[in-house]
Amino acid sequence: MAERPLDLGWIRVLEAVGRLGSLTAAAHELGLSQPAVSYTIRQLEDQLGTTLLARGPRGSTLSAAGRVLHRAAATAQAGIDDSTRTIRRMGRQKVVRLFTDYGFASFWMMPRVARFRRVHPDAQVHIIASASADPGIDDAGDVAVLFGARGDFPVEAVQLFEERVVPVCGPGFAARHGLAEHPERIGAMALLHLESTPRPRWFGWRDWFAAQGTARQPHSGDLGLNTYGMVVQAAIAEQGVALGWSGLIDSALKDGTLVAIGAPLERSEHGYWLLPGPDLTEPARDLIDWIIAEVAREREAAP
């Protein structure tokens, strides 16, 4: 069923009469009587003090003044009709807000959000990313994906990824320093640190070296960065070695932008968790189901 256009009064009447060249045809198209169309045109002529139509046995043609006003009316009607369609589409669009940190937003969600839109074209995802996204934030969105431990989250939270990190760097950096063959040299390299709180929720370089049974003093070339996106970009730019989180750097490892050069470190009770909001809408449920299914599909496809 065609959508009902906004009532534009005389603008729509004049546009139809000028385009069709007939009061009767315009009345039929607009669903009005011929006298009603004629009355509207005469009112316009009275207000303007000039003739807009030349009426004849073969129909009505626009006068010079009528052509000027008709051009303006046709342009205005087209613009208003286009805006009306846009507004109505906005009203039908289903918005779901996803709250997460910069790492998940940049490296997992953004490269895949177009897939969700293809399956759910009427849903619009608003990604709200924050450097301070932590388990203590409530009611931040319809869906949240946050990093932490099992005990940080309610029972309904679903774990998407276990925490697993591995040292990574650019392939040129690894080749120059022989890190693929001698990962023990990592301790002598400049390290890229993701800055954290005094009690970090994720692995840091100290944890990794402790797991290897060694300790490492700060290096003059070490670089601290406050978002994971900057850490990854610095590693790609061969400014040092970073810790790469599974689920976030998988595509970079697959395409060779980054290479893994050391032993992995993992803990199953930590990682990214999906939290449903308190009052789930249909698009929020669709997004939750899609994220869980996408993670499962990629896990099954992994070598």
Side-chain angles (χ1 to χ4, degrees):
M1 180 182 294
E3 292 185 336
R4 181 172 59 85
L6 288 181
D7 181 11
L8 303 180
W10 69 265
I11 294 178
R12 207 172 289 284
V13 170
L14 179 63
E15 188 282 328
V17 171
R19 173 168 46 84
L20 298 172
S22 166
L23 295 172
T24 301
H28 179 75
E29 178 177 283
L30 297 173
L32 301 172
S33 66
Q34 193 272 351
V37 170
S38 180
Y39 177 75
T40 299
I41 297 298
R42 290 191 183 280
Q43 277 195 316
L44 275 175
E45 290 175 330
D46 289 344
Q47 292 177 55
L48 294 169
T50 188
T51 300
L52 298 176
L53 293 179
R55 299 165 176 82
R58 296 185 178 181
S60 302
T61 58
L62 293 168
S63 66
R67 288 193 294 273
V68 171
L69 190 58
H70 180 264
R71 282 195 297 271
T75 300
Q77 177 179 302
I80 292 171
D81 285 347
D82 184 62
S83 297
T84 300
R85 286 189 291 271
T86 299
I87 291 168
R88 282 173 172 160
R89 282 196 300 270
M90 291 168 60
R92 290 194 298 266
Q93 209 161 35
K94 303 171 183 178
V95 177
V96 54
R97 299 171 302 152
L98 171 66
F99 182 76
T100 188
D101 61 29
Y102 287 126
F104 186 86
S106 300
F107 294 105
W108 197 91
M109 193 65 207
M110 287 306 299
R112 295 166 176 81
V113 70
R115 297 183 199 168
F116 175 75
R117 293 295 307 277
R118 285 195 293 270
V119 179
H120 300 281
D122 290 335
Q124 182 178 355
V125 180
H126 286 183
I127 300 175
I128 307 167
S130 170
S132 60
D134 62 57
I137 295 178
D138 296 323
D139 301 327
D142 301 309
V143 183
V145 175
L146 303 175
F147 192 93
R150 166 74 271 185
D152 295 330
F153 302 103
V155 294
E156 63 267 22
V158 177
Q159 189 174 30
L160 300 177
F161 307 111
E162 295 180 359
E163 185 177 20
R164 183 180 189 275
V165 299
V166 63
V168 297
C169 64
F173 188 92
R176 284 196 304 275
H177 298 284
L179 296 177
E181 300 80 10
H182 300 283
E184 70 275 5
R185 296 178 182 175
I186 291 174
M189 300 294 109
L191 301 182
L192 305 171
H193 298 265
L194 176 60
E195 294 178 351
S196 181
T197 61
R199 298 183 63 185
R201 291 176 285 115
W202 47 78
F203 282 135
W205 276 113
R206 181 177 298 177
D207 301 305
W208 188 84
F209 281 108
Q212 311 314 307
T214 62
R216 192 258 195 187
Q217 297 300 316
H219 187 286
S220 60
D222 286 359
L223 183 61
L225 300 156
N226 67 353
T227 68
Y228 193 57
M230 294 173 65
V231 170
V232 172
Q233 288 302 314
I236 292 172
E238 303 189 354
Q239 296 182 35
V241 183
L243 288 176
W245 268 261
S246 293
L248 302 186
I249 58 153
D250 297 356
S251 61
L253 292 176
K254 185 177 180 179
D255 65 22
T257 306
L258 293 174
V259 293
I261 55 171
L265 179 62
E266 56 190 30
R267 50 186 175 183
S268 61
E269 289 297 302
H270 288 66
Y272 275 104
W273 299 78
L274 185 149
L275 288 79
D279 299 305
L280 288 181
T281 62
E282 179 183 349
R285 293 182 187 277
D286 290 338
L287 181 61
I288 289 171
D289 292 342
W290 179 85
I291 289 175
I292 293 173
E294 191 77 357
V295 169
R297 182 187 66 80
E298 293 179 0
R299 185 180 294 120
E300 291 174 0

